[in-house]
Amino acid sequence: MARPLRLEFPGALYHVTSRGDGRKDVYVDDSDRESWLDVLGEACERFNWMVHAYCLMTNHYHVLLETPDGNLSRGMRQLNGVYTQRFNRANGRVGHLFQGRYKAVIVQKDAYLMELARYIVLNPVRARMVRSAREWPWSSYRATAGQKACPAWLSRDWLLAAFARKLSVAENAYRAFVSQGRGQASPWEKLKNQLYLGSDQFVEQMQGLLEPDRDLSEVPLGQKRGTVLPLKEYERLSSGRDEAIVAAYLSGGYTMKEIGAHFGLHYSRVSRLVKGSKAKRKTGTSLFPRSNRGYPERAHDPVAARRMHRDCLPAPHGDHLLTRSGDSSCALARA
């Protein structure tokens, strides 16, 4: 049987799974799980991904993610590739970790995002690893339910806004929604053509995108990443070489090898510079001063910029649209 086509376009929503080679475990201990979450966060920052739900099992993982820039395959190369390197290094092994290609199903957002988000966090319950979603620490359930801090790269707002306008009410409703999902039929019974989860009209629209002359550039301005500049422009707009290298990498438009070739450096040197900039951001210092020097805003801080631009949330059951306020990670107001 032929493998399903890879369909990528701005704004696509995917359910992604990737399994261990030979069904072997891809996490030995909790440090491996923490490492995988770190790599996922880095992929979200670099490739402008929006993760709505995730769950780490033992020999595979599930992620429900949106790609405003239509770059799933590039981000997945980093997610699986970088994690494999870190896993092998930490566990003294070599070789492949994941089994072949990852599987990505294109999802109709309005119809299936909520159902899939629930299905994903209930995986450990169905596997009889725990009795409730709350008991499994390696999924998005606790952060979405307000039971732990929400990482910057987890986009829980769209999901919660479907339940209520006030955050505390929405979190309670989400917890009830997940609890009611035990025993529900699998959404994969509705999978079409190995690739789509949506209505017949949605499938027809998606297949239309496979036409070679179809324009795939349209995406809501609130989600679209700023234009990737030529490498010479990053040089011109930077106060130094290292700053230009990091900005070019964070744009998501260039590989480390391409950046290294332009600046006359080995890609390993580029990698060290990028890692150094991440360490500075984690400790509260920034490689980039907060001044307007001509960069696209997103090149400085893709996660923060994504928060600023993603202004509107879906209206909960016919109510008014929710909008972000201040610098909170969630626009929903607490009761």
Side-chain angles (χ1 to χ4, degrees), residues 73-279:
S73 59
R74 293 194 65 189
M76 286 302 300
R77 280 198 296 272
Q78 171 160 325
L79 177 59
N80 280 358
V82 172
Y83 175 68
T84 295
Q85 294 173 1
R86 295 183 185 180
F87 178 88
N88 286 349
R89 189 161 52 244
N91 295 286
R93 66 181 299 279
V94 296
H96 296 290
L97 177 61
F98 292 100
Q99 173 183 298
R101 301 201 313 172
Y102 58 90
K103 181 177 180 180
V105 172
I106 302 174
V107 180
Q108 186 175 0
K109 184 174 182 177
D110 292 341
Y112 285 100
L113 188 147
M114 291 178 63
E115 184 177 350
L116 272 181
R118 175 169 67 179
Y119 174 86
I120 286 172
V121 299
L122 283 173
N123 265 280
V125 178
R126 283 191 300 274
R128 299 183 180 181
M129 301 166 71
V130 292
R131 291 175 298 178
S132 69
R134 180 179 182 176
E135 295 178 13
W136 187 249
W138 304 107
S139 80
S140 54
Y141 175 82
R142 292 183 182 179
T144 305
Q147 296 171 347
K148 64 175 289 187
C150 182
W153 46 262
L154 180 61
S155 302
R156 67 176 190 157
D157 292 348
W158 196 99
L159 184 60
L160 288 177
F163 295 104
R165 300 184 65 185
K166 291 185 177 180
L167 180 57
S168 60
V169 177
E171 289 171 343
N172 285 332
Y174 168 77
R175 291 194 286 268
F177 173 72
V178 172
S179 180
Q180 294 162 5
R182 299 182 64 170
Q184 294 288 325
S186 170
W188 304 125
E189 295 176 3
K190 305 171 186 177
L191 188 65
K192 299 173 182 178
N193 300 351
Q194 304 181 65
L195 183 63
Y196 309 110
L197 187 60
S199 65
D200 291 339
Q201 182 180 5
F202 174 77
V203 173
E204 184 178 349
Q205 291 173 344
M206 294 301 99
Q207 290 178 327
L209 294 179
L210 295 173
E211 297 172 7
D213 56 350
R214 186 66 173 263
D215 182 6
L216 303 183
S217 63
E218 295 182 4
V219 61
L221 292 178
Q223 296 179 349
K224 194 169 185 178
R225 181 186 285 257
T227 302
V228 176
L229 303 177
L231 288 169
K232 288 184 178 180
E233 280 299 290
Y234 289 111
E235 280 190 278
R236 184 179 68 82
L237 295 169
S238 299
S239 60
R241 182 201 66 180
D242 293 358
E243 181 179 326
I245 287 173
V246 174
Y249 179 79
L250 291 180
S251 74
Y254 302 97
T255 65
M256 291 184 180
K257 189 173 182 179
E258 291 169 340
I259 295 171
H262 177 82
F263 287 94
L265 300 173
H266 192 269
Y267 71 85
S268 62
R269 174 59 178 159
V270 175
S271 176
R272 288 194 293 273
L273 290 172
V274 171
K275 288 180 181 178
S277 74
K278 291 175 182 175

Side-chain angles (χ1 to χ4, degrees), residues 263-327:
F263 287 94
L265 300 173
H266 192 269
Y267 71 85
S268 62
R269 174 59 178 159
V270 175
S271 176
R272 288 194 293 273
L273 290 172
V274 171
K275 288 180 181 178
S277 74
K278 291 175 182 175
K280 289 182 179 180
R281 290 199 299 277
K282 286 183 178 180
T283 57
T285 59
S286 175
L287 184 66
F288 307 114
R290 285 292 183 185
S291 60
N292 183 3
R293 295 206 304 246
Y295 274 112
E297 182 178 38
R298 305 190 70 109
H300 287 292
D301 191 343
V303 172
R306 183 161 67 250
R307 288 178 175 171
M308 292 172 63
H309 287 297
R310 200 165 61 244
D311 294 318
C312 290
L313 298 171
H317 306 302
D319 213 331
H320 295 293
L321 285 176
L322 295 169
T323 56
R324 293 187 172 273
S325 59
D327 58 359

